[in-house]
Amino acid sequence: MNRFNLPQKILIVIGFLLLILHYDFWNWSNGNLIFDFLPTGLAYHICYSVASGFYWLIVSFYFWPKEFDEEPS
Amino acid sequence: MTAMQIVIVYLALLLLLSVISKKMFKGTIADYFTATHSIGPFMLLMSVFGTTMTAFALVGSTSEAYHNGTGVYGLLASLSGFVHAAVFYLIGIRVFKWGKKFGFTTQIDLFRARYDNNFIGYLLFPTLVCFIIPYLLIGLLASGTFFQQVSNKSISTELGSAIIAIVVLIYIFIGGVRGAAIANTFQTCVFMILGFVAFILISNKLGGVESAMKMVVASHPEKLVREGNQTHLIFLSYFFIPLSVAMFPHLFQHWLTAKSAKAFKLTVFAHPIFIMLVWIPCVLIGIWATSAMVGGELVVPKNSPPNTELAIMVKKLTSDSMSGLLMAGVLAAIMSSLDSQFFCLGTMFTNDILFKFIDKEKISDKAKIWYARGFIITIVVLTWLISLVVNKTRIFPLAVWSFSGFAGLSPLIFAAIYWKRSTGLGIILGVVGALFSWLYFFWDSGFGVATKYNVLGLMPVTFIVLSCVIGLVIGNIFGKRVSEEILNKFFKKEN
């Protein structure tokens, strides 16, 4: 972990947290509807997908490995 | 226009697109197989996404939601969004860099050069072909089913799948991988837009999303929860399935077509959002199909054949012409994967097997292309024949078997990139471990017939990955180290 700076370490921890949060055991038997049409478990995972997209947006633009920032061929 | 006429026009448009893409063909084998690394960010995103969204994502997810509820999205789709992006970031850009530096055309090229071991290729080739056949099967099964529905059963599933296979073969033979990338970009736009339109039309016909869901709450509330539809262990062990993209040969080939590593950025962060946009409408349509009633009758009758739920909902709840457009959208998703899968088979055969026995300098580029086409046709015919026997199998479980095989091999590419001291023997034993464990579990499940098959309560992929890792580690203990010269080629930082 020593070759990563603090923001990178935070991002790695957030990545692992996101993986752990995928297991939403607390929604297992929850059949309630959100906005009268979205099952709670489904709504949670929609938010999870949005969070994933946002996470990888940050990674792509702020933590792209410098050695890959080459000019196009 | 009738639905069938619209589908025919769509297929004709695809063939026209391939003729146009042929004008961009530079005439070299490098351009045919890797588009000479000229694919920019938007086309890379669309072709990678189109390749990964198959019959499985549309037809399979709808059918799986119909049978096992909304939990299918959390089970696989949301996790895939995160893990696929991670694989593109951790593996994809590094594969691209090595591919461009050393001129690789296939994964086998990479593994042979990285470990200085030719035998890896002879073992990995049949393994990859074995795992890709179920993947081809789901495309042929789904396209046959849809053709049958759109033609009001005047075209059989067998003829329908043959027509789609022939159309795909024609446009990839004409345009090469650039033709496939252009077709994929077009088809991805088509299936995303039309999939959303299908969702709006179907929900309107059912009285709106709240009304459609009320029917499910009244008739099948068990479809809205995971209790009774999934176990916790199965949910957790599904984690390994999205790792399959690390070893998809067709995706690997798309990575090599990229113009630059920067071209991957859009693919990395847009992928989770795109998966959501495609899966959510299909999952909702799937559970609505369990309970949707029009005129006092179930829209999807209880004894409907497997994989037909989406086709029936579209056909019965939209107009004939809209049904044709939506069918074209589904066929677009199916074909955008079939083209890449067919193509990579030809590339692997010529590059990894044929050129080891025939001196490639002695045969023309035209002859090389024809050898590739011959092999592709052989595998497609074989898969079509298999589809005649397994046409009652559900797409989702069959696809998961294919993904399990590739996921089982994923430790190998991670080792190649991140474990400098991994050995060729480790790769060989890893392939053997993954292949034989997959073959055993697949046979034990009745060749995919047992849809709830598990091993000690876990998905079999858990043990396939474990077998690969054990093989890797044992091979590392007893295998010969790769020379420093080769390690420096791959890992030394350039000044």
Side-chain angles (χ1 to χ4, degrees), chain B residues 256-476:
Chain B
L256 293 178
T257 65
K259 194 184 269 190
S260 69
K262 274 186 199 167
F264 281 80
K265 283 188 181 179
L266 184 60
T267 302
V268 167
F269 73 79
H271 200 78
I273 305 300
F274 273 33
I275 288 184
M276 180 185 72
L277 292 174
V278 170
W279 274 69
I280 290 297
C282 292
V283 167
L284 286 174
I285 291 171
I287 51 160
W288 292 344
T290 61
S291 318
M293 305 265 276
V294 170
E297 278 188 12
L298 270 176
V299 174
V300 178
K302 275 197 181 342
N303 55 353
S304 299
N307 312 317
T308 58
E309 298 84 5
L310 181 62
I312 293 171
M313 287 287 276
V314 163
K315 202 163 170 336
K316 288 190 179 178
L317 299 179
T318 65
S319 64
D320 203 34
S321 51
M322 190 50 69
S323 176
L325 277 173
L326 300 173
M327 297 291 191
V330 174
L331 288 174
I334 294 169
M335 291 191 284
S336 65
S337 306
L338 282 178
D339 57 17
S340 305
Q341 290 155 5
F342 288 178
F343 201 82
C344 81
L345 285 171
T347 315
M348 287 191 323
F349 174 71
T350 43
N351 194 70
D352 301 326
I353 302 298
L354 187 72
F355 293 162
K356 299 300 169 200
F357 297 100
I358 299 177
D359 184 353
K360 60 182 172 181
E361 304 304 322
K362 291 195 173 138
I363 52 174
S364 65
D365 277 1
K366 203 172 173 182
K368 287 170 193 165
I369 289 169
W370 274 107
Y371 275 119
R373 287 171 177 170
F375 183 73
I376 294 170
I377 290 170
T378 306
I379 295 296
V380 170
V381 168
L382 173 69
T383 309
W384 182 81
L385 289 171
I386 297 173
S387 75
L388 303 183
V389 175
V390 300
N391 56 8
K392 296 283 179 273
T393 311
R394 280 194 7 234
I395 280 171
F396 192 93
L398 194 57
V400 170
W401 276 109
S402 174
F403 300 160
S404 298
F406 289 113
L409 295 174
S410 63
L412 306 180
I413 191 68
F414 279 96
I417 293 172
Y418 292 104
W419 191 3
K420 257 173 83 167
R421 299 289 171 191
S422 53
T423 65
L425 181 63
I427 299 298
I428 288 167
L429 293 182
V431 175
V432 167
L435 176 63
F436 283 95
S437 56
W438 185 91
L439 285 171
Y440 171 73
F441 292 133
F442 192 54
W443 166 80
D444 196 42
S445 72
F447 301 104
V449 168
T451 53
K452 301 262 186 211
Y453 182 78
N454 64 79
V455 180
L456 302 175
L458 296 164
M459 291 291 292
V461 64
T462 315
F463 299 97
I464 299 169
V465 170
L466 189 62
S467 305
C468 180
V469 169
I470 290 171
L472 254 177
V473 169
I474 292 175
N476 228 56

Side-chain angles (χ1 to χ4, degrees), chain B residues 90-371:
Chain B
L90 294 170
I91 304 291
I93 51 175
R94 283 153 180 81
V95 159
F96 159 78
K97 190 151 174 91
W98 280 355
K100 204 162 155 227
K101 185 177 174 184
F102 300 115
F104 298 145
T105 316
T106 64
Q107 287 155 310
I108 292 175
D109 262 351
L110 184 154
F111 280 105
R112 274 177 164 154
R114 169 68 176 86
Y115 294 99
D116 194 22
N117 186 318
N118 252 345
F119 180 73
I120 288 174
Y122 298 127
L123 184 58
L124 201 48
F125 175 78
T127 305
L128 292 171
V129 173
C130 171
F131 294 156
I132 216 165
I133 286 178
Y135 211 164
L136 296 178
L137 257 177
I138 62 169
L140 294 182
L141 287 174
S143 54
T145 303
F146 262 76
F147 238 97
Q148 190 193 44
Q149 291 295 322
V150 85
S151 66
N152 292 318
K153 299 191 181 173
S154 60
I155 294 180
S156 66
T157 54
E158 296 82 4
L159 181 58
S161 58
I163 291 170
I164 292 303
I166 290 167
V167 166
V168 174
L169 285 171
I170 291 173
Y171 78 68
I172 63 167
F173 284 176
I174 293 174
V177 81
R178 183 184 282 101
I182 292 172
N184 277 359
T185 301
F186 171 64
Q187 298 200 95
T188 302
C189 293
V190 164
F191 79 68
M192 285 184 79
I193 292 167
L194 292 181
F196 189 67
V197 168
F199 174 73
I200 299 291
L201 290 176
I202 289 171
S203 69
N204 280 348
K205 191 75 181 190
L206 297 175
V209 292
E210 291 100 338
S211 165
M213 198 56 83
K214 263 194 198 133
M215 293 189 224
V216 181
V217 170
S219 316
H220 290 284
E222 75 280 3
K223 301 290 182 190
L224 305 179
V225 297
R226 273 165 276 178
E227 191 68 53
N229 291 309
Q230 290 168 16
T231 67
H232 292 261
L233 282 181
I234 290 289
F235 184 88
L236 286 167
S237 53
Y238 250 87
F239 163 78
F240 294 105
I241 297 290
L243 291 174
S244 50
V245 296
M247 281 297 285
F248 279 167
H250 47 294
L251 208 55
F252 194 98
Q253 193 156 16
H254 278 299
W255 291 339
L256 293 178
T257 65
K259 194 184 269 190
S260 69
K262 274 186 199 167
F264 281 80
K265 283 188 181 179
L266 184 60
T267 302
V268 167
F269 73 79
H271 200 78
I273 305 300
F274 273 33
I275 288 184
M276 180 185 72
L277 292 174
V278 170
W279 274 69
I280 290 297
C282 292
V283 167
L284 286 174
I285 291 171
I287 51 160
W288 292 344
T290 61
S291 318
M293 305 265 276
V294 170
E297 278 188 12
L298 270 176
V299 174
V300 178
K302 275 197 181 342
N303 55 353
S304 299
N307 312 317
T308 58
E309 298 84 5
L310 181 62
I312 293 171
M313 287 287 276
V314 163
K315 202 163 170 336
K316 288 190 179 178
L317 299 179
T318 65
S319 64
D320 203 34
S321 51
M322 190 50 69
S323 176
L325 277 173
L326 300 173
M327 297 291 191
V330 174
L331 288 174
I334 294 169
M335 291 191 284
S336 65
S337 306
L338 282 178
D339 57 17
S340 305
Q341 290 155 5
F342 288 178
F343 201 82
C344 81
L345 285 171
T347 315
M348 287 191 323
F349 174 71
T350 43
N351 194 70
D352 301 326
I353 302 298
L354 187 72
F355 293 162
K356 299 300 169 200
F357 297 100
I358 299 177
D359 184 353
K360 60 182 172 181
E361 304 304 322
K362 291 195 173 138
I363 52 174
S364 65
D365 277 1
K366 203 172 173 182
K368 287 170 193 165
I369 289 169
W370 274 107
Y371 275 119

